[in-house]
Amino acid sequence: NHVPLLAASGASFGFAGVCTDAPSFFHGDQVHGTHIVKADTHATDPGLSKNSRVKADGVWSRHQRVWVVTADCLPVLLATADGFTVMAVHAGWRGLVAGILRQAVSVMECPPDALWGLIGPASSGVHYEVGPEVVTQLNQGPCQLTAGERAHVITPGTGDRSYVSLPRAAVFAIVRAGV
């Protein structure tokens, strides 16, 4: 039940429905922000105790398995081709608007063009309806979709509502970040 991201290179990470080995994974207390931590610096605290968990929406490592939990938000995995440096990112619309994927790429201590990105399942399109305040924020700040990108990410709905594709917004964000 564990799907490898880069099976050809022997990497042992990917998306899984249920984490059956939680004590050996590191994750943060996700807060829909842009804070990212290096799990290797928290080796003595696996990040599993809610009271002691560091607040972070991205966790990366060269030595530990990392994970994020999502519901309608987007899980994004970034990794070097050899699979030795990996990051798990929790990217909802708030994180995308705030630039979490650009931040994620910038902290990984390797060139952006050396990274691979994998975007996991999330609510999207007609299953992800938002109000005008979300559309406005997607068009400003670090996310700031171009007119061409908007056509692929935002679809008009009924009244002032719109449908958003978080996966497509994430693709544009990581490409802009150099991945």
Side-chain angles (χ1 to χ4, degrees), residues 96 135 138-155 163-177:
L96 289 172
V135 172
L138 284 168
N139 291 315
Q140 299 174 354
C143 188
Q144 195 164 8
L145 299 168
T146 67
E149 292 168 348
R150 274 193 297 277
H152 294 284
V153 173
I154 302 167
T155 305
Y163 301 109
V164 171
S165 172
L166 291 180
R168 289 180 182 171
V171 166
F172 292 125
I174 64 174
V175 167
R176 259 189 259 120

Side-chain angles (χ1 to χ4, degrees), residues 26-30 45-56:
F26 182 95
H27 73 100
D29 185 14
Q30 297 163 195
D45 176 9
L48 295 172
S49 165
K50 179 75 173 168
N51 295 330
S52 64
R53 200 176 316 145
V54 62
K55 293 193 181 321

Side-chain angles (χ1 to χ4, degrees), residues 71-74 120-125 127-129 164-167:
D72 58 348
C73 292
L74 188 65
S123 294
S124 183
H127 302 289
Y128 197 68
E129 184 180 57
V164 171
S165 172
L166 291 180

Side-chain angles (χ1 to χ4, degrees), residues 1-13:
N1 69 48
H2 183 76
V3 180
L5 173 62
L6 300 172
S9 66
S12 60
F13 53 92

Side-chain angles (χ1 to χ4, degrees), residues 58-145:
V59 182
W60 74 280
S61 179
R62 290 196 173 105
H63 306 290
Q64 290 184 250
R65 291 182 281 179
V66 296
W67 65 296
V68 292
V69 177
T70 63
D72 58 348
C73 292
L74 188 65
V76 177
L77 297 178
L78 298 172
T80 53
D82 63 10
F84 287 110
T85 303
V86 297
M87 179 182 292
V89 180
H90 168 258
W93 73 264
R94 285 181 180 87
L96 289 172
V97 164
I100 190 164
L101 295 178
R102 183 183 64 199
Q103 173 71 5
V105 170
S106 74
V107 301
M108 283 193 68
E109 298 177 2
C110 62
D113 62 356
L115 294 172
W116 290 36
L118 182 66
I119 296 169
S123 294
S124 183
V126 298
H127 302 289
Y128 197 68
E129 184 180 57
V130 299
E133 70 285 354
V134 175
V135 172
T136 298
Q137 290 186 50
L138 284 168
N139 291 315
Q140 299 174 354
C143 188
Q144 195 164 8
L145 299 168

